[in-house]
Amino acid sequence: MIGIGSPGSLRAIEDKRFLPVGADKEVASDFQLIAGTNRDLGEALAAGVFRDDLYARLNLWTFRLPGLADRREDIVPNLDYELDRFAEREGQQASFNKEARQRYLTFATSGEASWPGNFRNLAASITRMATLSPKGRIDVADRLRKHLARFDLEWSVVNGVKRTTLMRHEGARA
């Protein structure tokens, strides 16, 4: 394995030749490197925390993909996708009852949901609720209320803002 930013990785990116771990002979590989980050590499370069020679080799194409908080229209199809993934992975179907699905989507597509971990947060939330729900049925009475409360706690710490999402989405019953 070549460490990012090492002379070997720079050569592999530029010349498409590298020395595999434990090998005595270089090998050639025809590959296209796709790299992603949630950091601004231009800023990291200017601050001196990212190598300019590596940046020059990686910066062929730049695509900016907005986070989930800015692409709320992707939540509904990905909710269904994550439920399907759960069923495939665990061998157990999971679903929301109608009211729970509506409340979750109201929260998930609102400005209250910051989605700091993007799709990882969405996937984890679906997995957590499906795993803990009796017989794979996510309902409002128990799992959803606890789950939204967990988001409140996690995201208020992440964002440094004290909020009351659960109160807003469930009324005074929290």
Side-chain angles (χ1 to χ4, degrees):
M1 181 172 176
I2 300 171
I4 292 296
S6 71
S9 66
L10 298 177
R11 182 152 188 248
I13 293 168
E14 192 164 290
D15 299 336
K16 296 189 177 188
R17 299 190 61 74
F18 61 95
L19 184 65
V21 173
D24 296 326
K25 185 177 171 187
E26 260 189 356
V27 296
S29 180
D30 187 16
F31 65 89
Q32 298 243 345
L33 179 66
I34 299 174
T37 182
N38 62 350
R39 307 249 193 282
D40 184 327
L41 293 183
E43 285 180 12
L45 187 65
V49 295
F50 196 84
R51 292 179 54 159
D52 58 348
D53 53 349
L54 179 57
Y55 184 77
R57 289 171 175 90
L58 292 177
N59 195 29
L60 180 61
W61 303 100
T62 300
F63 298 97
R64 301 227 184 271
L65 186 61
L68 184 57
D70 297 323
R71 296 178 15 228
R72 300 197 186 267
E73 67 277 4
D74 289 342
I75 292 172
V76 172
N78 279 284
L79 171 67
D80 296 329
Y81 172 76
E82 290 301 335
L83 286 169
D84 290 343
R85 274 188 56 199
F86 177 83
E88 185 177 311
R89 188 175 58 245
E90 302 300 325
Q92 174 187 341
Q93 290 287 358
S95 62
F96 284 87
N97 71 19
K98 186 176 180 178
E99 184 183 0
R101 182 181 177 93
Q102 185 56 49
R103 283 200 185 175
Y104 183 80
L105 288 174
T106 297
F107 162 74
T109 58
S110 74
E112 294 294 320
S114 62
W115 300 111
N118 286 307
F119 286 95
R120 287 181 303 274
N121 281 136
L122 182 66
S125 74
I126 300 306
T127 298
R128 189 168 37 245
M129 287 186 294
T131 300
L132 298 174
S133 294
K135 299 180 183 173
R137 191 68 168 164
I138 302 165
D139 62 17
V140 174
D142 189 28
R143 301 291 171 223
L144 185 62
R145 187 181 352 243
K146 288 178 183 176
H147 191 68
L148 292 179
R150 181 178 175 152
F151 273 140
D152 267 348
L153 178 62
E154 289 175 1
W155 290 354
S156 66
V157 173
V158 169
N159 297 328
V161 176
K162 180 90 171 131
R163 297 180 321 183
T164 55
T165 304
L166 186 61
M167 294 292 284
R168 289 189 187 116
H169 290 284
E170 299 231 358
R173 297 184 334 187

